[in-house]
Each structure stands twice: as structure tokens, then as C-alpha cells.
Amino acid sequence: MITGAAVIIAALIAVIPALVDLFANDSDADTKKDQDNKGSASAKKNPFVGEWQGTVRENQPPNSTHQITLRIDDGRIDEEVGHVEYHSAKVTCKGVVTLEEMNKKREVIELGEYIEDGNCVKRGRITLTIQPADDAKFFYAGTKLDGTPQSAEGSLRKIG
């Protein structure tokens, strides 16, 4: 009996290091695979980063037209990621934008807008949808001080 137990213990002692190596290598491979996947996901270029310019038109009377410049930097949800400026014959407004949402395919981005300077609606939401050739469809929605809705649409071109 003791001889049989000694043989089993000797066999286990010989096999255990090989099993430990086998499982350690698999674990290292999975960790490396996860790191590679995370790296490639975070390394994917954000198509919205850069400077955009274009013309937007209000959807409510007097249907004013504004030139817009929008700069977007890379960032995380709920972080300030850029600046926006609107210019028209009557108004100039400047503010900051905060990243609220981005779809997984990086085709649509939602930005919270806060106007710091100028006579424009102070808070709103900008939706940009990527189009071919460095263009983006622009949509803005907000609420005026009197409670009426404010919206504008247009297209922007990436210039930098």
C-alpha cells in the first residue's frame, strides 16, 4: 500500500508542474488577447475629432441661418470635449460641448451644448451623423426661455 501511494505521489509531483505551466500559458494568452482587443478598440480613430464648419438653419421663424464652427477633441462620456461658435448677421454665440453619447460604430455622436457668450439658447443638444467625404449632418434641439422648442439643421464639413 505504501509503495502504491508513493508511486501516485511521485506521478503527481511530475505532472503538476506541467499542468501549472499549461494553465498559466493559456491564461497569459487570454490576457494578451484581451489586451490586444482593448488596445485595438481604444486605438480606433474617432471620426468626429477635429474642426467642423458649415451652415445651419433654424426650423422655427424667422428661420435664421448661422455659420457654425465646431471643434471636437477626444474624450469620455460627460467630459467637455470642445467648443462651438455660431455667427449670423445679428448674433454671435460661443460655448462648450460635452460628450453625451456615441454609437458603437462611431457614426453618430450626441453633444450637450452650453452657450457661455451671446444671446442664444443657453442649453441644447447637438447630434452629428457622419456622411461620406468628411461631411456630417447637423441637428440641434433646445428649449427657449419661454418654453418653446428651438431646432436647427444643416451640414458641416471637416476642415481639420
Side-chain angles (χ1 to χ4, degrees):
M1 281 279 197
I2 294 178
T3 310
V7 170
I8 292 173
I9 291 173
L12 286 174
I13 290 173
V15 171
I16 288 176
L19 290 173
V20 169
D21 285 344
L22 176 67
F23 288 114
N25 288 340
D26 283 350
S27 176
D28 289 346
D30 289 343
T31 302
K32 172 106 173 90
K33 183 176 164 184
D34 289 345
Q35 288 171 348
D36 289 346
N37 288 340
K38 288 177 188 170
S40 64
S42 64
K44 185 176 179 182
K45 186 178 178 196
N46 182 343
F48 294 99
V49 170
E51 189 166 336
W52 299 82
Q53 287 185 339
T55 303
V56 298
R57 182 175 207 62
E58 293 180 24
N59 293 324
Q60 297 76 28
N63 301 101
S64 300
T65 300
H66 303 275
Q67 298 302 311
I68 180 174
T69 300
L70 176 62
R71 193 193 87 236
I72 301 172
D73 298 321
D74 215 358
R76 297 176 190 258
I77 300 294
D78 295 328
E79 283 184 350
E80 185 178 302
V81 292
H83 293 86
V84 63
E85 292 185 25
Y86 297 95
H87 300 281
S88 71
K90 296 181 181 180
V91 168
T92 296
C93 296
K94 298 178 182 180
V96 295
V97 293
T98 302
L99 180 60
E100 291 186 357
E101 292 181 43
M102 181 184 301
N103 73 341
K104 289 183 181 185
K105 292 184 178 182
R106 295 181 181 229
E107 297 166 338
V108 179
I109 191 171
E110 302 274 341
L111 302 167
E113 176 187 85
Y114 179 72
I115 298 298
E116 299 173 316
D117 184 30
N119 189 22
C120 293
V121 175
K122 293 295 180 200
R123 293 192 183 276
R125 187 173 182 114
I126 295 171
T127 303
L128 286 181
T129 305
I130 289 291
Q131 305 291 306
D134 284 334
D135 288 340
K137 181 179 174 187
F138 174 95
F139 182 79
Y140 167 87
T143 304
K144 295 180 181 181
L145 288 176
D146 66 5
T148 59
Q150 173 78 30
S151 65
E153 296 180 70
S155 59
L156 304 181
R157 175 161 289 269
K158 193 172 191 179
I159 61 167

